[in-house]
């Protein structure tokens, strides 16, 4: 359903839907098996002008809105969730903080190559000892004349192997009692900067998830992103937008699982008739369709509020929480409807279920979303 999309949004949806079906979906199963990152897909997305979609045209972007971004994430995730999360992180975590907080010079230097697809976007917040408690950051940036010297580790970083620079959080006042956390843009080819791609994951096998290790990495102070001491605040603001991307991912994966289940239920015969004629299966499919529709509406509402410059923190958390939990439920039901075949890789739905679990964890766990929502409604 088009939800009264604008002409531009409908055009973007048609373009990306066709691209996803022709270029992304057909290799998804094999990429999951071989854990192959689809760099060729992102080169083609750059040619389509999608890599800078919501950013201003003056930086090589598409000048589109957040709803358009959500549409692209949904369609890519429907075809391949690994592709969807790579794109979502590139825009919402890699490009957004530079667009929101960067100087004009930083935007020219760093946002432009993201928009053109020369680099993939990433950001570094999570650490081995700082997950949901992002304020527990331990990475340090010590001043040495005109430079910062960084030491520390970052974990679970999407796109780390394909990013030419990464904005990350670090403590910039190690000798003071009150921790001052700032954002700093760090080139990934800097001396002492290393990227490890060694995780064995449950799902999203074709996405790039890395560790970052910084050993006396020296960057100029001009690489400070925004105001000193506001790094955590910036990144939490960035995560609000990222949650819209996760919500859109969830809708895309769930839509794919639902369509597979509906198709299978119509074709599979048991006790002399199609599965789709049994009321128990009909109720499952009806619930799946309903919850996907509700989640998509929530994603679009949060995106619209963001585009209108209105507060959207609560709505972003609501859409992320509901959509991610809905997605795991829908993909599990899709496996159930497929029976024994649902447990087999060739039928795709087990992949959807594995990929779905991360959405309850990334960009703030479901538990963190409930804390945010409770705070926003004045319950704490």
């Amino acid at each position: 359903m088009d939800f009264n999309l604008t002409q531009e949004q409908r055009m973007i949806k048609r373009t990306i839907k066709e691209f996803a079906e022709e270029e992304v979906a057909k290799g998804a199963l094999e990429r999951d098996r071989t854990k192959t990152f689809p760099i060729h897909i992102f080169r083609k997305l750059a040619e389509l002008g999608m890599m800078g979609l919501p950013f201003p045209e003056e930086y090589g972007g598409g000048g589109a809105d957040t709803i358009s971004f959500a549409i692209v994430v949904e369609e890519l995730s429907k075809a391949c969730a690994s592709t969807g999360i790579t794109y979502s992180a590139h825009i919402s975590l890699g490009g957004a903080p530079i667009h929101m907080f960067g100087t004009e010079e930083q935007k020219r230097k760093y946002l432009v190559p993201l928009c053109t697809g020369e680099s993939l976007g990433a950001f570094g917040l999570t650490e081995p000892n700082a997950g949901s408690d992002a304020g527990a950051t331990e990475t340090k940036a010590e001043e040495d004349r005109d430079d910062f010297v960084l030491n520390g580790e970052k974990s679970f970083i999407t796109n780390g192997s394909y990013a030419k620079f990464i904005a990350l959080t670090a403590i910039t006042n190690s000798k003071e009692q009150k921790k001052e956390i700032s954002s700093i843009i760090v080139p990934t080819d800097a001396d002492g900067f290393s990227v490890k791609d060694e995780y064995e994951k449950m799902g999203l096998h074709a996405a790039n998830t890395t560790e970052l290790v910084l050993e006396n990495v020296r960057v100029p102070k001009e690489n400070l992103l925004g105001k000193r001491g506001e790094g955590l605040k910036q990144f939490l603001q960035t995560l609000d937008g990222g949650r819209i991307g996760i919500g859109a991912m969830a809708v895309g994966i769930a839509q794919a699982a639902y369509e597979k289940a509906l198709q299978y239920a119509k074709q599979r015969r048991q006790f002399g008739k199609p599965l789709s004629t049994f009321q128990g299966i009909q109720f499952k499919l009806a619930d799946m369709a309903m919850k996907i529709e509700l989640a998509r509406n929530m994603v679009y509402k949060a995106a619209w509020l963001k585009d209108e410059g209105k507060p959207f923190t609560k709505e972003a958390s609501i859409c992320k929480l509901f959509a991610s939990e809905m997605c795991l439920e829908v993909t599990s039901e899709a496996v159930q409807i497929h029976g024994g075949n649902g447990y087999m890789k060739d039928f795709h739905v087990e992949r959807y279920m594995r990929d779905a679990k991360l959405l309850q964890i990334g960009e703030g766990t479901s538990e963190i979303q409930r804390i945010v929502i409770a705070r926003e409604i004045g319950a704490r």
Side-chain angles (χ1 to χ4, degrees):
M1 188 174 177
D2 277 352
F3 298 95
N4 294 318
L5 298 179
T6 66
Q7 186 175 349
E8 181 183 4
Q9 290 163 350
R10 287 197 298 271
M11 182 186 72
I12 289 170
K13 184 171 184 176
R14 280 195 304 272
T15 301
I16 200 64
K17 185 177 181 66
E18 183 179 317
F19 176 83
E21 290 172 355
E22 293 181 1
E23 300 285 347
V24 183
K26 61 184 178 184
L29 184 61
E30 186 62 21
R31 290 193 301 272
D32 179 70
R33 284 174 171 154
T34 60
K35 302 180 181 179
T36 302
F37 185 78
I39 189 64
H40 66 287
I41 288 174
F42 292 97
R43 292 190 179 118
K44 290 179 179 179
L45 283 169
E47 292 172 7
L48 286 175
M50 295 290 177
M51 297 303 280
L53 186 67
F55 302 123
E57 293 177 11
E58 61 187 294
Y59 303 114
D65 56 13
T66 310
I67 291 176
S68 297
F69 160 71
I71 288 168
V72 173
V73 173
E74 178 184 336
E75 292 297 337
L76 290 176
S77 301
K78 181 182 173 185
C80 169
S82 292
T83 304
I85 197 169
T86 301
Y87 180 82
S88 182
H90 166 78
I91 296 285
S92 64
L93 304 185
I98 294 171
H99 176 237
M100 288 192 291
F101 309 114
T103 63
E104 182 63 26
E105 184 180 350
Q106 287 173 337
K107 290 177 186 178
R108 296 286 175 194
K109 187 173 182 180
Y110 299 113
L111 187 56
V112 170
L114 293 178
C115 290
T116 59
E118 183 184 337
S119 172
L120 283 181
F123 89 157
L125 178 63
T126 303
E127 298 186 4
N129 295 317
S132 292
D133 181 10
T137 293
E138 296 174 351
T139 297
K140 290 184 171 66
E142 297 183 336
E143 295 180 73
D144 183 12
R145 286 176 283 188
D146 294 331
D147 295 335
F148 286 119
V149 180
L150 292 97
N151 284 279
E153 294 178 47
K154 298 291 180 179
S155 52
F156 309 136
I157 308 303
T158 303
N159 300 342
S161 299
Y162 298 89
K164 294 188 176 181
F165 45 84
I166 297 175
L168 52 81
T169 50
I171 302 167
T172 46
N173 69 333
S174 55
K175 295 180 182 178
E176 301 291 332
Q177 276 193 330
K178 187 177 179 182
K179 190 183 291 185
E180 177 188 82
I181 299 175
S182 303
S183 300
I184 301 171
I185 303 171
V186 183
T188 55
D189 63 355
D191 290 342
F193 191 109
S194 58
V195 180
K196 296 181 180 179
D197 181 8
E198 298 172 353
Y199 287 124
E200 290 288 332
K201 298 179 293 185
M202 174 181 177
L204 298 168
H205 288 161
N208 178 243
T209 311
T210 66
E211 296 175 85
L212 310 179
V213 180
L214 298 95
E215 299 175 308
N216 294 320
V217 176
R218 185 177 291 269
V219 299
K221 286 184 177 177
E222 67 189 35
N223 282 31
L224 180 73
L225 182 62
K227 293 181 181 178
R228 185 169 175 151
E230 293 193 355
L232 190 57
K233 177 183 174 183
Q234 292 168 4
F235 275 50
L236 293 177
Q237 194 173 332
T238 298
L239 285 172
D240 282 344
R243 286 164 185 161
I244 295 173
I246 294 291
M249 268 193 74
V251 172
I253 296 170
Q255 184 71 37
Y258 160 72
E259 289 180 9
K260 290 284 188 188
L262 179 60
Q263 180 185 30
Y264 186 84
K266 289 178 177 179
Q267 293 174 348
R268 176 73 166 173
R269 296 182 67 86
Q270 292 287 274
F271 306 103
K273 53 185 178 179
L275 283 182
S276 61
T277 62
F278 293 95
Q279 191 176 65
I281 300 298
Q282 291 172 355
F283 282 7
K284 286 181 185 293
L285 291 166
D287 284 347
M288 292 160 82
M290 173 184 68
K291 289 171 183 176
I292 292 167
E293 192 86 357
L294 290 170
R296 185 179 289 112
N297 272 293
M298 289 179 176
V299 171
Y300 282 11
K301 180 181 179 181
W304 178 83
L305 287 170
K306 183 175 187 291
D307 289 332
E308 292 293 309
K310 299 176 186 291
F312 69 99
T313 296
K314 179 187 72 174
E315 288 76 11
S317 282
I318 287 173
C319 90
K320 194 271 187 188
L321 173 61
F322 180 83
S324 62
E325 299 204 338
M326 171 280 297
C327 185
L328 191 60
E329 184 180 338
V330 166
T331 54
S332 177
E333 289 285 39
V335 172
Q336 191 72 15
I337 288 170
H338 278 73
N341 285 330
Y343 209 67
M344 302 296 120
K345 289 186 181 293
D346 287 348
F347 285 80
H348 296 274
V349 288
E350 65 83 33
R351 183 179 87 247
Y352 301 149
M353 187 176 173
R354 286 187 287 107
D355 291 346
K357 184 58 190 174
L358 185 277
L359 306 185
Q360 293 181 311
I361 300 169
E363 256 89 311
T365 63
S366 291
E367 292 73 21
I368 290 294
Q369 303 313 315
R370 288 181 167 90
I371 291 172
V372 172
I373 295 164
R375 182 190 68 215
E376 291 295 314
I377 64 174
R380 60 182 284 261

